[in-house]
Amino acid sequence: MAVMNFGGIDEQVVTREEFPLEKAREFLKNETIAVIGYGVQGPGQSLNLRDNGFNVIVGQRKGGKTWEKAIADGWVPGKTLFEIEEAAAKGTIIQYLLSDAAQIEVWPRIKPHLTAGKALYFSHGFGITYKERTGIIPPPDIDVILIAPKGSGTSLRRMFLEGRGLNSSFAVYQDATGKAKERVIALGIGVGSGYLFETDFKREVYSDLTGERGTLMGAIQGLLLAQYEVLRENGHTPSEAFNETVEELTQSLMPLFAENGMDWMYANCSTTAQRGALDWMGAFHDAAKPVFQRLYRSVAEGIEAQRSIDSNSKPNYRENLEKELKALRESEMWRTGAVVRKLRPERN
């Protein structure tokens, strides 16, 4: 592994230069990778692996929308697409990519197929870290590994098709064969990672749950909505409020931020904007940090995990979720956003 300096701290990472795709394919040439679940991460990871030349099959419940989606993506029933248990029996590496709630439900049907020498692969540390709550306790004679792409399966696939890679963390929870680390790194390269950085299952799920509830999704929606509401309450039109709150952020500033960092983005804005940002960032930091501290404690104490398990296991979970998403979608801010997006000039 290469040593890279991140903000003055050395960390070990794996790059595609030191562990090229050809090496990954050679290491896994005798493996059958069974991707269980075709929802969020399943399509991106399985399609990237297939396009990269690995032996991949998909396991999914027959007859549902995701089964039909898998067929549309080129998976062939009876050849590369199977019912979940049949795929698990055929696979030497079982990528367990169902939702956290579904992993708990399906686990009794997967466990009998985890015979000695196989590998059980996760993209989230949830099931293992909270095993007392989930009941997911692997047998001792298999490898238990993790590749967690730092983004959605849709982003993983999109960036792969663009010739780029989405960074991923990797972890080994259990090394029964003596080759778990090589297995997981080869898989990380195979699914299309940009570079790989090491973690463990606990740190992965703690950071992931905090990030999803924080700056990646929960906090950003709350922050955007608060600014939008203040602008509207002070007489600004929906279009002006949305453009100043969301559109300028996502279409203008975030690309600069992503390209070279926050300081570079600041340097490419007006001096008035720079001054205001520097003056006010402390106030937002001081207001938000206690919320993040409370959030992290809730994650570490298992409160967030239990809330997720309880909510997502209810029979009417999907119905309730759609009601909440519908309310979000039909809010004034995001109805305005739908109009603004339609008005964006088409790319040449």
Side-chain angles (χ1 to χ4, degrees):
M1 292 195 291
V3 177
M4 302 292 290
N5 188 274
F6 295 89
I9 298 174
D10 288 339
E11 292 186 37
Q12 291 187 322
V13 301
V14 180
T15 67
R16 292 191 280 192
E17 286 69 33
E18 62 180 303
F19 205 107
L21 181 59
E22 294 75 16
K23 181 177 179 180
R25 275 198 295 254
E26 176 64 23
F27 193 83
L28 298 178
K29 65 181 180 181
N30 296 320
E31 303 269 22
T32 297
I33 303 166
V35 176
I36 307 300
Y38 209 74
V40 177
Q41 282 289 337
Q45 292 200 34
S46 62
L47 292 170
N48 289 0
L49 284 164
R50 185 179 71 182
D51 289 354
N52 273 334
F54 295 86
N55 181 25
V56 189
I57 60 175
V58 170
Q60 182 58 36
R61 183 177 61 83
K62 190 174 183 178
K65 290 182 180 179
T66 47
W67 177 272
E68 297 304 320
K69 183 180 187 309
I71 293 174
D73 286 342
W75 302 101
V76 181
K79 293 185 178 180
T80 56
L81 177 61
F82 302 92
E83 292 269 14
I84 287 174
E85 291 177 69
E86 187 175 359
K90 291 177 180 293
T92 59
I93 297 172
I94 298 175
Q95 291 194 326
Y96 205 33
L97 301 183
L98 295 166
S99 69
D100 294 324
Q103 285 185 15
I104 297 169
E105 178 187 349
V106 174
W107 178 246
R109 293 157 53 194
I110 292 292
K111 191 173 182 180
H113 302 292
L114 296 173
T115 51
K118 287 192 176 187
L120 178 62
Y121 166 115
F122 293 87
S123 283
H124 192 22
F126 191 100
I128 295 293
T129 300
Y130 301 111
K131 57 183 180 294
E132 293 82 5
R133 302 169 188 266
T134 66
I136 297 176
I137 302 173
D141 53 1
I142 66 167
D143 293 341
V144 181
I145 55 181
L146 173 145
I147 291 290
K150 296 299 104 180
S152 70
T154 301
S155 299
L156 181 73
R157 181 61 175 167
R158 181 179 298 155
M159 292 175 74
F160 176 85
L161 293 175
E162 292 172 352
R164 301 187 292 149
L166 187 64
N167 300 331
S168 302
S169 59
F170 75 94
V172 175
Y173 176 78
Q174 188 168 281
D175 184 4
T177 66
K179 60 180 182 178
K181 192 167 188 177
E182 290 82 1
R183 258 176 161 174
V184 73
I185 290 173
L187 287 160
I189 298 300
V191 300
S193 302
Y195 76 85
L196 299 163
F197 60 95
E198 194 165 11
T199 188
D200 59 42
F201 276 61
K202 180 178 176 180
R203 284 191 289 134
E204 191 284 327
V205 75
Y206 280 21
S207 62
D208 190 69
L209 293 182
T210 300
E212 290 170 347
R213 286 149 181 77
T215 59
L216 302 179
M217 296 175 69
I220 193 66
Q221 165 63 15
L223 190 66
L224 294 175
L225 182 59
Q227 177 172 300
Y228 180 88
E229 288 175 342
V230 167
L231 290 173
R232 290 288 289 121
E233 288 161 5
N234 283 277
H236 298 271
T237 65
S239 178
E240 184 171 50
F242 186 87
N243 272 279
E244 197 61 44
T245 300
V246 179
E247 194 74 353
E248 185 173 351
L249 171 69
T250 59
Q251 301 305 300
S252 174
L253 299 183
M254 287 305 287
L256 298 179
F257 177 15
E259 188 175 345
N260 281 311
M262 186 68 79
D263 60 326
W264 194 79
M265 186 264 276
Y266 276 24
N268 283 272
C269 293
S270 71
T271 55
T272 301
Q274 292 169 8
R275 184 68 268 146
L278 292 167
D279 288 344
W280 277 89
M281 68 181 185
F284 282 106
H285 169 272
D286 294 347
K289 189 168 181 180
V291 180
F292 280 101
Q293 290 171 327
R294 191 166 77 247
L295 166 58
Y296 194 86
R297 285 196 300 271
S298 186
V299 170
E301 292 169 4
I303 296 170
E304 295 304 308
Q306 193 61 52
R307 182 181 292 134
S308 178
I309 292 169
D310 292 344
S311 172
N312 298 349
S313 300
K314 291 178 179 177
N316 60 346
Y317 160 67
R318 292 285 179 186
E319 180 183 345
N320 290 339
L321 174 65
E322 180 51 37
K323 287 180 181 177
E324 291 182 90
L325 293 177
K326 184 172 184 287
L328 186 66
R329 183 169 60 248
E330 293 182 354
S331 67
E332 183 190 276
M333 184 170 76
W334 291 114
R335 282 188 288 115
T336 299
V339 177
V340 170
R341 287 192 294 275
K342 289 178 182 179
L343 293 172
R344 290 177 189 164
E346 292 185 8
R347 293 178 180 177
N348 294 326

